[in-house]
Amino acid sequence: MSAMTPVKRQARAERTRAALLTAAREVFEERGFLDAKISEICERAGVAYGSFYTHFADKDAVFAELIDQMLNGLLTVMRAEPLNGDGPAARIARANRAYLRAYRDNARLMAVFEQVATFSPAMRDTYLRAWGVFYDRQERAIREWQQAGLVPDDVDPRTAAVALATMIGRTAYTWYVLGRPHDDGDVEQLTRLYCRAIGM
Amino acid sequence: MSAMTPVKRQARAERTRAALLTAAREVFEERGFLDAKISEICERAGVAYGSFYTHFADKDAVFAELIDQMLNGLLTVMRAEPLNGDGPAARIARANRAYLRAYRDNARLMAVFEQVATFSPAMRDTYLRAWGVFYDRQERAIREWQQAGLVPDDVDPRTAAVALATMIGRTAYTWYVLGRPHDDGDVEQLTRLYCRAIGM
Amino acid sequence: MSAMTPVKRQARAERTRAALLTAAREVFEERGFLDAKISEICERAGVAYGSFYTHFADKDAVFAELIDQMLNGLLTVMRAEPLNGDGPAARIARANRAYLRAYRDNARLMAVFEQVATFSPAMRDTYLRAWGVFYDRQERAIREWQQAGLVPDDVDPRTAAVALATMIGRTAYTWYVLGRPHDDGDVEQLTRLYCRAIGM
Amino acid sequence: MSAMTPVKRQARAERTRAALLTAAREVFEERGFLDAKISEICERAGVAYGSFYTHFADKDAVFAELIDQMLNGLLTVMRAEPLNGDGPAARIARANRAYLRAYRDNARLMAVFEQVATFSPAMRDTYLRAWGVFYDRQERAIREWQQAGLVPDDVDPRTAAVALATMIGRTAYTWYVLGRPHDDGDVEQLTRLYCRAIGM
DNA sequence: AATGAATGAGAGTTCATTCAT
DNA sequence: AATGAATGAACTCTCATTCAT
């Protein structure tokens, strides 16, 4: 008869859900998607096996939520970068640094994201959408610079944006997921390649 | 005469093996690595289930062999490109075109290669080794051009090679595996970005 | 009240587990270890295939548990025999009868135990440990009788215990597993041989 | 046209067969019956896989032949023991020693024999027949001694023979297969137990 | 909401035996 | 006789998901 108030019940559920998300991230990061077991997620969350399904439809659903969380975080970081200031080169440098830092901080989940995108159509869509956002930002910037006469007209803004975003994005993967050694000079070089590529 | 016998036997075995390889490639391409079933490979090869294991230790082994085949093919194509001729820009254009064409021709197996490299340590090694070859070629070229005074000294040949190879390589993935639309103009743009990036 | 819940759950699990154990014993007894199939155990237990693995790690694990159960039962029976009473000969007679009866009652599982002990190192250990207990009891008894002057000093208690336990134990196998015909007179003879062998 | 003479052909076949038998014994001894692979037997014999079936019907058949060989050897050894001489006790001692030595020399194949006898009806028959021979010899001896007044009439020759043969036989298994430590004194004790058991 | 036992489909791998040459 | 490739039946164990309590 000592039924909990709805609020309390919700609070409890929320805690369980949060514990599962945290645990899931750990497990996915350690094992990859394929070898991540729901049972292990529950164990780490200190939650009964079946409770997982009270909060998530299935394995894909938790994963999708984790990825959404992460991508929102990335987006927030990217948006926090001032779009203008001390000139285009500095802005490119800042954006690249911000991206690489954010990627590094999420590298292990990123690795799993890339993995799942290779076999799950749903995750591939998410993947393409995320890149789309990234492309768009860079395209807009190049277009601006072109209008300001800083970038030559023979540069196609969309193609350049896609190619250079790809270069930066995949370099992050190569560094932080595949573990290729690199240093601060490489970041600088990357920015220089970027600038020169679009004729700056 | 009696020397014929072993040859004949080998010939039959060789045929079976080849049939299995062909069938395996088809199945991997259609289903991806994870959903490829040995049974389906055997069916398509018109071979009994157990015969698979006469020729390959396991699923990973056939896959590895297919990838080796493909990578050797790629390498051959790349090596067939004349290293010099009508100037660096033309050479870069040719190399990029050759790479993109070769990638496109193997796109479906490439997709699976990228997939497996995300969860199989052995395949990840192969993957890194393959990229290493690609990087090396570009690094050598840039170094030559630098010595010829065509590329400024502030370009670090290795870093530039890695970044630009990554750009080209991942663009191929984006086009032929992820299906991003593109045209001949994009190839041209890509080459232009490449050239400008290293200051040519 | 709420303490009831876990108990109930355990109760259901306990029932399933017990059903599996019973079924497993039947199947092992009928088919031997090698031809016993998990699927048949589950069918007889009226339980889904996968449920087997909820309760046991594998085939070896159920088997080990059955053997432990049986050996504990044997030990209990042997310990129930009064260690003294109407003289050594009567005591030996009683012990032999008790052993043979207990063996007979478990003959079919014993047969499988002996089988598995021939190829499973783990079960061989169990086997040796079980015999060790049996040897020890007989050694202690002989030693006592020696101290009481009932058994000559030139009998080595350990060797005699091992040899005579072996004789009794293997006779049980011969009778109840291999099916050699025998009668009550044989039991009597066996006891007489035992007594005379140690000089009583 | 240089067809080999029948004799030569037979000789070659005989060599192959012998090589297979030797190899089979090795493999069975190292791996036990269940884990012995025909392929390994052929490899060791330096013979093609399929040739095995030119000489033996199946795995059981080679094994049976090896066991027959071994049992004939044992029988020969036992028969070589003089049935009389320096008195019954010495004869028992000699027979026991001979048996234990012969068992030890074949211990590893004996182990496999015991193993296979637990699951192969055919091998169980062979096993029982072999023991039958052993029982008979001992029964005959006891009967003689009884007629000579050396053994009391209340000893049942058959039962005593079976029990004591079992004791000796299983002790050999315990020593040489299970690896129980033992020394020459134990052999002596065994003989003493034997003699006393039948009232000598 | 939480619990945790029950479910069952699914596929890889082994290896004795056969058989075409 | 010898060769060695081809055959295919058989069975275990995993684990996401369901469901009764």
Side-chain angles (χ1 to χ4, degrees):
Chain A
M1 280 310 109
S2 68
M4 283 186 274
T5 64
V7 174
K8 266 193 191 159
R9 245 186 288 147
Q10 280 174 19
R12 185 189 176 191
E14 215 42 67
R15 263 196 321 266
T16 303
R17 201 189 147 80
L20 283 167
L21 274 169
T22 305
R25 179 157 185 165
E26 275 178 39
V27 174
F28 283 128
E29 288 183 347
E30 281 176 32
R31 309 222 181 278
F33 185 83
L34 298 165
D35 294 335
K37 285 178 274 179
I38 306 286
S39 62
E40 193 177 357
I41 294 174
C42 293
E43 265 170 42
R44 294 220 197 172
V47 152
Y49 203 137
S51 296
F52 178 88
Y53 292 90
T54 304
H55 299 282
F56 303 98
D58 52 24
K59 199 177 166 182
D60 295 32
V62 225
F63 187 71
E65 190 157 331
L66 285 172
I67 294 302
D68 280 351
Q69 262 184 11
M70 179 182 70
L71 291 178
N72 283 331
L74 279 191
L75 210 57
T76 305
V77 167
M78 295 311 289
R79 287 202 175 121
E81 286 304 307
L83 285 177
N84 44 31
D86 20 42
R91 182 175 153 192
I92 290 172
R94 262 207 320 273
N96 285 348
R97 268 181 215 288
Y99 180 80
L100 289 165
R101 208 178 315 116
Y103 198 104
R104 187 199 59 201
D105 294 344
N106 292 282
R108 294 193 311 167
L109 189 54
M110 275 292 185
V112 192
F113 182 29
E114 301 266 358
Q115 176 182 87
V116 180
T118 67
F119 54 77
S120 151
M123 208 40 70
R124 164 180 295 212
D125 282 354
T126 303
Y127 186 80
L128 291 173
R129 218 169 314 117
W131 277 101
V133 173
F134 196 24
Y135 297 155
D136 290 347
R137 285 178 61 85
Q138 312 213 13
E139 182 185 354
R140 267 197 308 277
I142 294 173
R143 222 174 270 283
E144 282 171 28
W145 293 325
Q146 230 166 15
Q147 278 156 6
L150 298 168
V151 163
D153 282 343
D154 64 353
V155 169
D156 175 54
R158 184 65 183 175
T159 305
V162 169
L164 295 170
T166 296
M167 178 179 81
I168 303 296
R170 193 62 181 178
T171 293
Y173 182 80
T174 307
W175 288 359
Y176 301 119
V177 174
L178 298 181
R180 159 166 288 274
H182 58 276
D183 57 32
D184 276 6
D186 291 317
V187 182
E188 204 183 317
Q189 278 280 327
L190 222 47
T191 298
R192 188 173 304 159
L193 290 166
Y194 193 116
C195 292
R196 276 193 177 138
I198 55 175
M200 292 202 320
Chain B
M1 268 301 137
S2 69
M4 197 81 211
T5 325
V7 172
K8 262 193 196 160
R9 270 195 258 285
Q10 279 179 13
R12 187 186 175 190
E14 216 43 71
R15 250 180 338 219
T16 304
R17 204 188 144 80
L20 283 167
L21 275 169
T22 305
R25 178 157 186 164
E26 276 177 38
V27 174
F28 282 130
E29 288 182 347
E30 281 175 31
R31 309 220 181 279
F33 185 83
L34 298 165
D35 294 335
K37 284 176 278 178
I38 307 283
S39 62
E40 193 177 356
I41 294 175
C42 292
E43 269 168 37
R44 293 218 198 173
V47 149
Y49 200 133
S51 295
F52 178 88
Y53 293 92
T54 304
H55 299 282
F56 304 98
D58 52 22
K59 201 174 161 183
D60 295 32
V62 224
F63 188 71
E65 191 155 332
L66 285 172
I67 295 302
D68 279 351
Q69 261 185 12
M70 180 181 70
L71 292 177
N72 283 332
L74 280 190
L75 209 57
T76 305
V77 167
M78 296 310 289
R79 286 200 176 122
E81 286 304 306
L83 285 179
N84 44 30
D86 18 43
R91 183 175 153 190
I92 290 171
R94 262 207 321 272
N96 285 346
R97 266 180 216 289
Y99 180 80
L100 290 165
R101 209 180 313 118
Y103 198 103
R104 186 199 59 202
D105 293 344
N106 292 283
R108 292 192 311 169
L109 189 54
M110 275 293 185
V112 192
F113 183 28
E114 301 266 357
Q115 176 182 87
V116 179
T118 67
F119 53 79
S120 151
M123 209 39 73
R124 164 179 295 211
D125 282 354
T126 303
Y127 186 80
L128 291 173
R129 219 170 312 118
W131 277 101
V133 172
F134 197 24
Y135 297 155
D136 289 346
R137 285 178 63 83
Q138 313 214 12
E139 183 185 354
R140 268 198 306 276
I142 294 172
R143 223 174 268 283
E144 281 172 28
W145 294 325
Q146 233 167 12
Q147 279 158 2
L150 298 168
V151 163
D153 282 343
D154 64 353
V155 169
D156 175 56
R158 185 64 182 176
T159 304
V162 168
L164 294 170
T166 297
M167 178 179 81
I168 303 295
R170 193 63 181 177
T171 293
Y173 181 80
T174 306
W175 289 0
Y176 301 119
V177 174
L178 297 181
R180 160 166 289 273
H182 58 277
D183 57 33
D184 276 5
D186 291 315
V187 182
E188 204 182 318
Q189 278 282 326
L190 222 46
T191 297
R192 188 172 306 158
L193 290 166
Y194 193 117
C195 293
R196 276 193 177 137
I198 55 175
M200 292 202 321
Chain C
M1 269 304 135
S2 68
M4 197 79 211
T5 324
V7 172
K8 261 193 198 160
R9 273 196 256 284
Q10 278 179 13
R12 186 186 177 189
E14 215 43 70
R15 249 176 339 211
T16 304
R17 206 188 144 79
L20 283 166
L21 276 169
T22 304
R25 179 157 184 165
E26 275 177 40
V27 174
F28 283 129
E29 288 182 347
E30 281 175 31
R31 309 221 181 279
F33 185 83
L34 299 165
D35 293 335
K37 285 178 278 180
I38 306 284
S39 61
E40 193 178 355
I41 293 174
C42 292
E43 268 168 37
R44 293 218 198 171
V47 150
Y49 199 127
S51 296
F52 178 88
Y53 293 92
T54 303
H55 299 282
F56 305 98
D58 53 22
K59 202 175 160 181
D60 295 33
V62 224
F63 188 71
E65 190 156 330
L66 285 172
I67 295 301
D68 280 351
Q69 262 184 12
M70 180 182 69
L71 292 178
N72 283 330
L74 281 190
L75 209 57
T76 304
V77 167
M78 296 310 288
R79 286 200 176 123
E81 286 304 306
L83 285 177
N84 44 30
D86 17 44
R91 181 173 155 194
I92 291 171
R94 261 206 322 273
N96 285 348
R97 264 179 219 289
Y99 180 80
L100 290 165
R101 208 176 316 117
Y103 198 103
R104 187 200 58 202
D105 294 344
N106 292 283
R108 293 192 311 169
L109 189 54
M110 275 292 185
V112 191
F113 183 29
E114 301 266 356
Q115 176 182 85
V116 179
T118 67
F119 54 78
S120 151
M123 210 37 74
R124 166 181 294 213
D125 282 354
T126 302
Y127 186 79
L128 291 174
R129 219 169 313 119
W131 277 101
V133 172
F134 196 24
Y135 297 156
D136 290 346
R137 285 178 62 85
Q138 314 214 11
E139 182 185 354
R140 267 198 306 277
I142 294 173
R143 223 174 267 284
E144 281 171 28
W145 294 325
Q146 233 167 14
Q147 279 158 2
L150 299 167
V151 163
D153 283 344
D154 64 353
V155 168
D156 175 57
R158 184 66 181 174
T159 306
V162 169
L164 294 170
T166 297
M167 177 179 83
I168 303 296
R170 193 61 180 179
T171 293
Y173 182 80
T174 307
W175 288 0
Y176 300 118
V177 175
L178 298 180
R180 160 166 289 274
H182 59 276
D183 57 33
D184 276 4
D186 291 315
V187 182
E188 204 184 318
Q189 278 281 326
L190 223 46
T191 298
R192 189 173 304 159
L193 290 166
Y194 193 117
C195 292
R196 277 194 176 137
I198 54 175
M200 294 202 321
Chain D
M1 282 311 107
S2 69
M4 284 186 273
T5 65
V7 174
K8 266 192 190 159
R9 244 187 288 145
Q10 280 173 19
R12 185 188 176 193
E14 214 43 65
R15 263 197 320 268
T16 304
R17 200 187 146 79
L20 283 166
L21 274 170
T22 304
R25 179 157 184 164
E26 275 177 40
V27 174
F28 283 128
E29 288 183 348
E30 282 176 32
R31 308 221 182 278
F33 185 83
L34 298 165
D35 295 335
K37 285 180 272 179
I38 305 286
S39 63
E40 193 177 358
I41 294 174
C42 293
E43 266 170 39
R44 295 220 197 170
V47 152
Y49 203 136
S51 296
F52 178 88
Y53 292 90
T54 304
H55 299 283
F56 303 98
D58 53 24
K59 199 177 167 183
D60 295 31
V62 225
F63 187 72
E65 190 156 332
L66 285 172
I67 294 302
D68 280 351
Q69 263 184 11
M70 179 182 69
L71 292 178
N72 284 331
L74 279 190
L75 210 57
T76 305
V77 168
M78 296 309 289
R79 286 201 176 121
E81 286 304 307
L83 285 177
N84 44 32
D86 18 42
R91 184 176 152 193
I92 290 170
R94 263 206 321 273
N96 285 346
R97 266 181 216 289
Y99 180 81
L100 290 164
R101 208 179 313 117
Y103 198 104
R104 186 199 59 202
D105 294 343
N106 292 282
R108 293 193 311 170
L109 189 54
M110 275 293 185
V112 192
F113 183 28
E114 301 266 358
Q115 176 182 85
V116 180
T118 68
F119 53 77
S120 151
M123 209 40 72
R124 164 181 294 212
D125 282 354
T126 304
Y127 186 79
L128 290 174
R129 219 169 313 117
W131 277 100
V133 173
F134 196 23
Y135 297 154
D136 290 348
R137 284 177 62 85
Q138 311 213 13
E139 183 185 353
R140 267 197 306 278
I142 293 173
R143 223 174 269 284
E144 280 172 27
W145 293 325
Q146 233 168 13
Q147 278 157 4
L150 298 166
V151 162
D153 282 344
D154 63 354
V155 169
D156 175 57
R158 185 62 182 177
T159 306
V162 169
L164 294 170
T166 296
M167 177 179 82
I168 302 296
R170 193 62 180 179
T171 293
Y173 182 81
T174 306
W175 287 1
Y176 301 119
V177 174
L178 299 180
R180 159 167 288 273
H182 58 277
D183 57 32
D184 276 5
D186 291 317
V187 182
E188 204 184 316
Q189 277 280 328
L190 223 46
T191 298
R192 188 172 305 159
L193 289 165
Y194 193 116
C195 292
R196 277 195 176 135
I198 55 173
M200 294 201 323

